[in-house]
Amino acid sequence: MRYVLLVQYDGTLFSGFQRQKKGERTVQGELERAASEVFGSAVRVAGSGRTDAGVHAAAQVCHVDGETSIPAEKLRECLNRKLPPDLKVLASRTAPDGFDCTRAVKKKTYVYRAYFAPAVLPLLSRYTARLTAKPDVLRMREAATLLVGEHDFRAFSSTGSSAKTSVRTVYHIGISEKKEPAADLYEIAVTGNGFLYNMVRILAGELFAVGCGKSTDGIRTALEKGTRTSLAGTMPASGLTLCSVDYGIELFPKEE
Amino acid sequence: MRYVLLVQYDGTLFSGFQRQKKGERTVQGELERAASEVFGSAVRVAGSGRTDAGVHAAAQVCHVDGETSIPAEKLRECLNRKLPPDLKVLASRTAPDGFDCTRAVKKKTYVYRAYFAPAVLPLLSRYTARLTAKPDVLRMREAATLLVGEHDFRAFSSTGSSAKTSVRTVYHIGISEKKEPAADLYEIAVTGNGFLYNMVRILAGELFAVGCGKSTDGIRTALEKGTRTSLAGTMPASGLTLCSVDYGIELFPKEE
């Protein structure tokens, strides 16, 4: 029997999603430990994809295979009793026929959050990166149009990527700005059919750099030549959240 | 020379604002340690008031007396270099003549945040308390009107309060609701001339209880008799943030 789980985690104290051999604390490792206790035998948990160390997920999708008499919808509570406070299951159900949470992904949306303020803001730091200059959102939006579409994003990835091809389609990049009393807040929401290792963080770093005055030639050169030298830097993991995984079907309908 | 500091902290890992003798980690203790290093001699830091263990502050106001050749506006950066990531100075200036950050307080605003969702949400838990039932905001707003005004709030305080009088004026209670994909979010903003020990957390607990069906008689009885037995419970510290301290003057004008 296959079950699908909707999972949320605060990535701060995890060494990423993927199980590590060295015994580091990972999301997959914690989920497998909890699920094995609930199912009463060792089970494996698969995710829609990996998230890096420190990256958060508002709604990661996982599946787990196993036999249990617990009703699918009750698995959520049973797993949550075994899970730590920074990792919880929001919903559970039986998988649709032939569903594979890794292979069936159609689109994913990541949100990168940053703020501009004269000082570090402790109440924002956990989920939002700090910018030391104030970006121009209109410049960022213009630069984002260069990245939307099907491109070889090789330049926008860190070494260590195990992907077979570096061609990805970015469907949409939405950039918003919000003024609060102590800071200006920025959100970059990127929807694509898949992402290379560190791709959203490198892409966000370049968009913020362009917003702060850098020419858009860096993006053009990177897409044409496939090299990273024309790009700014990788933004910190803390600002990144996996916000949704789209399978083209409504996996977890709203309860209301 | 007296300096005024605008301070922000994530209260999670602090044993409250007030310096403790036992060597516990407190906001005042960390500020005094940092300020003593910057001033080159032991100095004392005063705050607009205490916040409990686990309570956050977006904009706490403090003052410190000392002699230094560092320009007042530069004190912020110098202090921040000595402060931990969960406690930072947002702005610094010389104090207006005769200013005392504790005695001169006119109004304070606290915000209590809570969410209703079927499961614990790791990305909200740090700054937002969880409700296990869905409150009716209209009922809460109606109940809040009973609390606005000058009252003896004795029933809305925990023992251990050192205040001379338990009469306080609540100027305004604003209650908002926001629907997000994974949760319904609630904010109770309370502005008053001062607050007793645990007052906002007890008041929030009662308003949420009324929102979930409890009669408003509990509030009426508590205000009349001055006893706590008719009230629900104290909400957790994590949901509470001191949002502003009003001195009737613009202490830290906007930079833009």
Side-chain angles (χ1 to χ4, degrees):
Chain A
M1 198 68 173
R2 177 161 289 183
Y3 299 95
V4 194
L5 310 173
L6 188 68
V7 171
Q8 181 170 115
Y9 46 90
D10 177 323
T12 312
L13 301 179
F14 286 102
S15 303
F17 182 86
Q18 196 180 28
R19 184 194 318 117
Q20 304 281 332
K21 282 176 186 167
K22 307 155 209 165
E24 281 178 278
R25 187 172 186 263
T26 65
V27 174
Q28 195 176 32
E30 287 289 308
L31 284 171
E32 291 183 343
R33 183 195 48 71
S36 298
E37 287 178 37
V38 168
F39 283 84
S41 64
V43 293
R44 284 288 162 109
V45 172
S48 75
R50 306 169 196 174
T51 51
D52 288 348
V55 174
H56 317 288
Q60 167 72 289
V61 177
C62 299
H63 74 234
V64 55
D65 297 323
E67 298 303 325
T68 174
S69 58
I70 301 164
E73 288 67 28
K74 293 281 174 197
L75 267 181
R76 177 188 74 199
E77 292 169 40
C78 297
L79 288 165
N80 283 343
R81 261 179 243 129
K82 311 279 187 187
L83 287 167
D86 54 354
L87 168 60
K88 292 292 177 191
V89 176
L90 308 192
S92 56
R93 55 160 290 181
T94 53
D97 274 356
F99 178 83
D100 182 305
C101 75
T102 316
R103 295 184 185 181
V105 176
K106 294 257 191 296
K107 298 177 186 174
K108 279 185 192 178
T109 298
Y110 277 94
V111 170
Y112 199 92
R113 294 190 175 87
Y115 69 95
F116 170 66
V120 169
L121 299 178
L123 291 176
L124 288 182
S125 299
R126 200 168 179 95
Y127 307 114
T128 316
R130 183 175 168 221
L131 304 172
T132 49
K134 186 173 162 52
D136 176 339
V137 165
L138 296 181
R139 279 185 60 91
M140 289 174 67
R141 287 189 185 133
E142 214 179 293
T145 62
L146 301 172
L147 294 161
V148 172
E150 189 182 78
H151 298 286
D152 184 336
F153 282 100
R154 195 159 22 127
F156 292 81
S157 74
S158 293
T159 50
S161 186
S162 59
K164 287 167 206 153
T165 164
S166 47
V167 174
R168 294 289 184 279
T169 301
V170 168
Y171 299 109
H172 184 257
I173 301 180
I175 299 168
S176 68
E177 179 177 28
K178 194 172 140 194
K179 290 189 183 290
E180 298 228 335
D184 297 327
L185 303 177
Y186 301 90
E187 279 192 9
I188 303 177
V190 189
T191 303
N193 63 354
F195 296 94
L196 302 169
Y197 186 49
N198 278 354
M199 179 169 153
V200 182
R201 289 160 62 187
I202 296 170
L203 190 151
E206 187 63 17
L207 290 178
F208 285 125
V210 168
C212 294
K214 188 171 183 272
S215 158
T216 53
D217 289 349
I219 294 176
R220 289 194 183 85
T221 306
L223 288 176
E224 278 165 25
K225 298 199 178 163
T227 55
R228 240 184 104 174
T229 48
S230 64
L231 298 177
T234 309
M235 295 291 288
S238 59
L240 187 60
T241 303
L242 171 60
C243 281
S244 63
V245 187
D246 184 349
Y247 292 95
I249 51 168
E250 201 176 14
L251 264 182
F252 297 100
K254 291 268 169 208
E255 287 179 16
E256 286 177 301
Chain B
M1 198 69 173
R2 176 162 289 185
Y3 299 95
V4 194
L5 310 174
L6 188 67
V7 171
Q8 181 170 115
Y9 47 90
D10 177 323
T12 312
L13 302 178
F14 286 102
S15 303
F17 182 87
Q18 195 180 28
R19 183 194 320 116
Q20 304 281 334
K21 281 178 186 168
K22 309 155 207 165
E24 282 179 278
R25 187 173 186 262
T26 65
V27 173
Q28 194 176 32
E30 287 289 308
L31 284 171
E32 291 184 342
R33 183 195 47 72
S36 298
E37 287 179 36
V38 167
F39 283 83
S41 64
V43 293
R44 284 285 162 111
V45 172
S48 75
R50 307 168 195 173
T51 52
D52 287 349
V55 174
H56 317 289
Q60 167 72 289
V61 177
C62 299
H63 74 234
V64 55
D65 298 324
E67 298 302 324
T68 173
S69 58
I70 301 165
E73 288 69 26
K74 294 281 174 196
L75 267 182
R76 179 189 71 200
E77 292 168 41
C78 297
L79 287 165
N80 283 343
R81 260 180 244 128
K82 311 278 186 187
L83 286 168
D86 54 354
L87 169 59
K88 293 291 177 192
V89 176
L90 309 190
S92 56
R93 56 161 289 184
T94 53
D97 273 357
F99 179 83
D100 181 304
C101 75
T102 316
R103 296 185 184 182
V105 175
K106 293 257 191 295
K107 298 178 188 174
K108 279 185 191 178
T109 298
Y110 277 94
V111 171
Y112 198 91
R113 294 189 175 89
Y115 69 95
F116 171 67
V120 168
L121 299 177
L123 291 175
L124 288 183
S125 299
R126 201 167 178 95
Y127 306 114
T128 317
R130 182 175 169 220
L131 303 173
T132 49
K134 186 172 162 54
D136 175 340
V137 165
L138 296 181
R139 279 184 62 88
M140 289 174 67
R141 287 189 184 131
E142 214 180 292
T145 62
L146 301 172
L147 294 160
V148 171
E150 188 183 78
H151 298 286
D152 184 337
F153 282 99
R154 196 162 19 128
F156 292 81
S157 74
S158 293
T159 50
S161 186
S162 59
K164 286 166 208 153
T165 165
S166 47
V167 174
R168 295 289 184 278
T169 301
V170 168
Y171 299 110
H172 185 259
I173 300 180
I175 298 169
S176 69
E177 180 177 27
K178 194 173 140 193
K179 290 188 182 290
E180 298 229 333
D184 297 327
L185 303 176
Y186 302 89
E187 279 192 10
I188 303 176
V190 189
T191 304
N193 65 353
F195 296 93
L196 302 170
Y197 186 48
N198 278 353
M199 178 170 154
V200 183
R201 289 160 62 185
I202 295 169
L203 189 149
E206 188 62 17
L207 290 178
F208 285 124
V210 168
C212 294
K214 188 170 183 272
S215 156
T216 53
D217 289 348
I219 294 176
R220 288 194 184 86
T221 305
L223 288 176
E224 278 164 25
K225 298 198 179 163
T227 57
R228 238 184 106 175
T229 47
S230 64
L231 298 177
T234 309
M235 295 291 288
S238 59
L240 187 60
T241 304
L242 170 60
C243 281
S244 63
V245 188
D246 183 348
Y247 291 94
I249 51 167
E250 201 175 16
L251 263 182
F252 296 100
K254 292 268 169 206
E255 287 181 15
E256 286 176 302

